Amino acid sequence: MRPRLSSFERAWADAALCTFFPAPPRSVLAHGIDEMGPGQFIDDILMETPIEPSIGLRLALWIIALAPLFTIRRFATIAGIEHDDRVRVLERLLASRIYAVRQLVLGFKAMGALLYSQSKRLRTQMNTPKAPVVRLRMKGEAHADAAQ
Amino acid sequence: MPTLHNDENLPEGTVVDGETLTRSIDDVFDVVIVGSGAAGAVAAHTLAAAGLTVGIVEEGPWLKTKDVVDDVNPTFARIMRDRGLQVLSGRAYMPLIQGRCVGGSTFVNSAIAWRAPEDVFDDWSARFGLGEAITTRVLDEHYDALDRDLSVRSPDDDVLGENNRLFVETAKKRGFEAAPMRRYDKGCKGSGMCLTGCPNGAKQGMSVTYVPWALRTGRARIFTSAKVEHVELRGGRAMGVVARSANGHRILVRARHAVMVAASTVQSPNVLRRSGVRSKHLGRHFQVHPGLALGALFDRPIEMSFGATQGAESIAFRKSDRFKLETISLPPDLACARIPGVGLELSERLANLGHVAVWAAQIRSEAEGTVKEGWGGTDRVRFTMTENDLRTTRKAAALIARMLFEAGAREVWPGIYGVPSVIRSIDDAALIDEAPLDPRSYNCIATHLFGAARMGPDASASVVDTDFRVHGTEGLYVVDSSVFPTNLGVNPQHTIMAMARLASQRLAAKLLDRNVRAA
């Protein structure tokens, strides 16, 4: 019998996915993944997926959870740091020199996307062209705006 | 009045659902077929139409057209092997996407019809001793029949979609040939949902064509959600298959004359191995077309969500550089992993998905891998691209990046480690030219699988003979792409079906001739 996520693992999953797919004003989309039960979704995926991908997904969760220590030198889990720091942590993981780390975290992001894209409201918002296109802020501006 | 699709109102008793079975089954047919994908479905219909009784054993469920939804997660969970999370291992992991349902991968592919180029068959003849067994001339009549049966045509202009149209226009400006794809299309409405199943029954996958057609002959039955454990061999002869339903009941499907294995390049060799077939080449020479896609953001609307999912292509570089260019429209569920950013930055790109184009390359790789069975009956596939393959991949990626900028992209997302995740000028495409030649730097997916039970006249160098029969075994055939000695460099479904049609016509002729003589 495969173990379900513990309460702290679920908190990590929530924190990670709410960082990838935040709610306004940290997002220009209509809503964040927070209202879609991200932790429960990951828990269910772990139960339904064959054993090897399931282990990979759980390993990704633990890497993300403990990453603040080895990416930004903060002695805390992903759930215990502020949003902007979480963004920095996830960005560093996605760009990691270590193949397994960046692929597992990318896989975790992809899992979150499967949930997030189930929102009909968001799909409409995403797929409908804008005129003119919403101007993408350069990376530094985006962080500065979010901090405000 | 709701539309009645071809996968509905099937004759009573022709579908046995392994998810709701209440007892064990013992049934008998002239020919038993393992798998209902491109090869199995065509073989089933060909044999049934010739007057033989056919039992099809399909591991996955039957997702009907009326139940198709555009959500990737529930769809993939139901009809993809390992819910779409299967991977090849090697120096890098590569997602391996296989349908596991009635229709197999034809339920979730983009329905692209390509006849294999003649140079491929020339190579098979010269290097693998196939002689005149498999040639363009031999397969042409089968290709023609498939063209007619499956309504092969290019998308109408009004459903082509901007992602595809822009690709063709850009290629032509660059001076090389590109065109809308030929697809199995009976009234495409441009839903852009090929990857989760066509909600309109327009995509002519096997579950709305050859499988129901076979069942409607009155001589075929399909057992769904029933996994074949092994082929029963006795005295060097195939007697039938033993399967297990999804809810645990034993299904014994006996074959009076033959068993045809059409379970795909990964599953067919493992079925044979579990059945006691021994060959030095079983599970070896596994080949792939690795696929690499680049996304790009435009100011102009692209609307990938409308139009043919994969509607335009170019084979201009197939022979010179071993890659084929294609478009692909990804739904948000699948596009997101390829879009750079976290948080606000990611949301801004997602909000502009209506302005994103995705163009891709299919690499005709040289590398060969292996297919084995791991613990617990899992499939173990190992494959690593060669350095030449990586040079090809890099070259194709750089070309696509340049084309996207020439088409007006404001940013391109190479998705290659060692290259910035976002590049904003055509000059930056030169960074891709210098990308590392390391398989771990590229996010390819394994599209189109070949080999692992290859064909040849010599039993010491192949698994099946030129009649698709497993060497040394009476009545056991393999008819899917696992018999291909090499990959093709173009989409393989048409050739898989043509070869299955050839194999099953020959078998039908042999069996009916035998019956006539016996009478």
Side-chain angles (χ1 to χ4, degrees):
Chain A
M1 179 77 180
R2 218 178 284 178
R4 286 223 163 242
L5 288 180
S6 61
S7 58
F8 56 84
E9 285 174 311
R10 199 181 276 225
W12 296 342
D14 280 334
L17 290 179
C18 291
T19 307
F20 276 119
F21 309 104
R26 293 189 171 115
S27 168
V28 301
L29 289 167
H31 64 81
I33 203 172
D34 56 321
E35 61 185 68
M36 303 176 78
Q40 181 65 51
F41 178 75
I42 295 295
D43 199 14
D44 291 340
I45 293 270
L46 286 171
M47 291 298 113
E48 293 160 7
T49 301
I51 187 76
E52 284 187 25
S54 176
I55 291 171
L57 192 59
R58 205 169 201 132
L59 181 58
L61 180 59
W62 276 77
I63 288 172
I64 291 170
L66 302 178
L69 179 63
F70 53 87
T71 53
I72 60 170
R73 300 283 183 260
R74 290 277 306 276
F75 192 68
T77 67
I78 195 76
I81 57 177
E82 295 299 312
H83 177 82
D84 283 354
D85 285 336
R86 288 186 206 157
V87 170
R88 282 169 55 210
V89 167
L90 292 177
E91 285 175 344
R92 288 189 191 187
L93 290 174
L94 287 170
S96 174
R97 289 186 310 118
I98 303 170
Y99 172 71
V101 168
R102 64 176 187 264
Q103 289 304 113
L104 286 170
V105 175
L106 183 63
F108 197 86
K109 178 183 176 184
M111 287 295 114
L114 292 182
L115 172 63
Y116 198 46
S117 301
Q118 286 182 32
S119 162
K120 298 285 179 232
R121 200 156 48 122
L122 289 181
R123 289 179 88 89
T124 303
Q125 189 180 4
M126 290 180 198
N127 284 328
T128 305
K130 281 86 184 155
V133 77
V134 171
R135 183 182 159 266
L136 279 184
R137 280 165 276 196
M138 297 299 284
K139 195 169 138 115
E141 295 170 33
H143 290 312
D145 284 355
Q148 284 166 13
Chain B
M1 183 135 174
T3 307
L4 197 63
H5 297 291
N6 214 21
D7 52 7
E8 294 172 66
N9 278 11
L10 296 166
E12 183 85 27
T14 57
V15 183
V16 176
D17 183 353
E19 288 182 344
T20 55
L21 210 50
T22 56
R23 57 179 177 81
S24 297
I25 297 264
D26 188 337
D27 211 337
V28 61
F29 301 88
D30 291 327
V31 181
V32 176
I33 298 177
V34 180
S36 67
V42 170
H45 178 255
T46 304
L47 292 162
L52 295 159
T53 61
V54 178
I56 310 165
V57 188
E58 165 54 52
E59 186 181 345
W62 197 330
L63 181 60
K64 299 295 177 73
T65 302
K66 64 179 172 59
D67 297 323
V68 165
V69 296
D70 62 358
D71 282 332
V72 167
N73 186 49
T75 302
F76 276 27
R78 181 107 176 101
I79 61 157
M80 296 293 266
R81 187 164 297 282
D82 291 355
R83 50 175 325 135
L85 297 175
Q86 200 181 6
V87 293
L88 312 177
S89 58
R91 281 206 71 216
Y93 288 99
M94 199 184 291
L96 169 56
I97 310 294
Q98 284 187 293
R100 193 196 67 119
C101 58
V102 174
S105 296
T106 71
F107 194 90
V108 291
N109 71 8
S110 303
I112 301 167
W114 259 103
R115 300 189 182 202
E118 201 156 350
D119 54 79
V120 170
F121 298 132
D122 291 342
D123 182 40
W124 289 6
S125 173
R127 277 204 294 147
F128 301 96
L130 298 201
E132 295 298 307
I134 307 290
T135 63
T136 302
R137 189 180 48 80
V138 165
L139 291 185
D140 264 345
E141 66 166 280
H142 301 287
Y143 283 137
D144 290 344
L146 293 165
D147 281 358
R148 288 189 302 269
D149 286 352
L150 299 178
S151 187
V152 171
R153 54 199 287 266
S154 296
D156 292 331
D157 281 346
D158 59 350
V159 296
L160 183 59
E162 185 64 7
N163 189 32
N164 302 308
R165 195 204 58 75
L166 189 60
F167 174 86
V168 175
E169 178 186 276
T170 308
K172 286 186 173 164
K173 280 182 184 165
R174 258 202 165 243
F176 64 85
E177 200 54 42
M181 288 180 178
R182 292 175 77 240
R183 305 177 313 148
Y184 310 110
D185 165 4
K186 202 168 185 180
C188 176
K189 295 179 170 53
S191 70
M193 281 175 61
C194 286
L195 304 181
T196 48
C198 180
N200 305 308
K203 181 173 79 167
Q204 301 290 278
M206 300 298 100
S207 67
V208 294
T209 56
Y210 285 114
V211 173
W213 294 342
L215 302 181
R216 290 196 172 101
T217 62
R219 286 183 288 276
R221 179 175 294 143
I222 185 168
F223 302 86
T224 66
S225 297
K227 179 172 176 164
V228 167
E229 292 178 342
H230 63 270
V231 177
E232 191 82 351
L233 295 177
R234 232 177 276 155
R237 204 187 185 312
M239 307 301 292
V241 304
V242 176
R244 188 74 49 182
S245 71
N247 62 359
H249 291 288
R250 188 172 191 259
I251 299 175
L252 177 61
V253 190
R254 301 173 199 273
R256 289 191 192 95
H257 303 295
V259 173
M260 283 190 146
V261 179
S264 97
T265 305
V266 174
Q267 283 69 47
S268 288
N270 284 339
V271 167
L272 294 181
R273 196 177 278 118
R274 288 198 299 271
S275 309
V277 171
R278 293 292 173 260
S279 163
K280 192 168 74 169
H281 294 276
L282 186 61
R284 289 176 58 197
H285 316 294
F286 170 79
Q287 293 165 64
V288 163
H289 288 155
L292 181 82
L294 277 72
L297 180 66
F298 289 75
D299 285 331
R300 65 200 286 182
I302 302 289
E303 275 192 274
M304 281 197 298
S305 58
F306 174 77
T309 299
Q310 288 194 269
E313 62 189 359
S314 174
I315 57 162
F317 304 93
R318 183 190 71 86
K319 281 179 99 166
S320 56
D321 295 284
R322 296 180 68 93
F323 65 81
K324 175 178 181 271
L325 297 176
E326 299 178 340
T327 54
I328 180 161
S329 298
L330 295 176
D333 331 53
L334 300 177
C336 185
R338 297 176 177 279
I339 297 177
V342 175
L344 183 66
E345 188 182 336
L346 176 60
S347 78
E348 286 172 336
R349 292 194 173 98
L350 287 174
N352 285 307
L353 200 59
H355 296 261
V356 170
V358 180
W359 295 351
Q362 185 193 118
I363 311 299
R364 191 182 181 196
S365 64
E366 300 173 337
E368 292 190 354
T370 58
V371 173
K372 291 182 182 172
E373 209 160 33
W375 54 272
T378 54
D379 300 310
R380 277 265 170 278
V381 188
R382 290 195 64 82
F383 179 84
T384 297
M385 293 166 77
T386 65
E387 190 170 299
N388 276 348
D389 293 339
L390 294 168
R391 281 184 205 287
T392 301
T393 305
R394 185 172 70 178
K395 184 171 186 179
L399 172 61
I400 292 171
R402 290 185 170 97
M403 286 176 67
L404 286 164
F405 281 119
E406 287 162 4
R410 55 159 52 200
E411 53 179 60
V412 171
W413 312 320
I416 300 172
Y417 180 73
V419 175
S421 58
V422 181
I423 55 176
R424 294 191 169 88
S425 83
I426 196 167
D427 295 335
D428 289 340
L431 296 170
I432 302 176
D433 294 325
E434 302 302 319
L437 291 176
D438 184 333
R440 295 170 296 184
S441 291
Y442 298 85
N443 284 305
C444 293
I445 68 165
T447 67
H448 315 153
L449 315 176
F450 310 85
R454 72 181 183 189
M455 178 184 282
D458 180 356
S460 68
S462 56
V463 177
V464 307
D465 65 22
T466 52
D467 274 334
F468 301 81
R469 190 183 61 91
V470 174
H471 287 294
T473 309
E474 200 53 44
L476 181 59
Y477 299 82
V478 184
V479 296
D480 56 32
S481 56
S482 56
V483 307
F484 289 24
T486 71
N487 54 21
L488 305 181
V490 295
N491 310 69
Q493 185 181 333
H494 221 41
T495 305
I496 292 170
M497 294 190 294
M499 286 177 61
R501 198 172 185 275
L502 169 71
S504 44
Q505 266 193 0
R506 281 186 190 161
L507 178 64
K510 180 175 154 186
L511 295 179
L512 292 169
D513 182 55
R514 192 194 292 172
N515 285 350
V516 165
R517 285 175 197 226

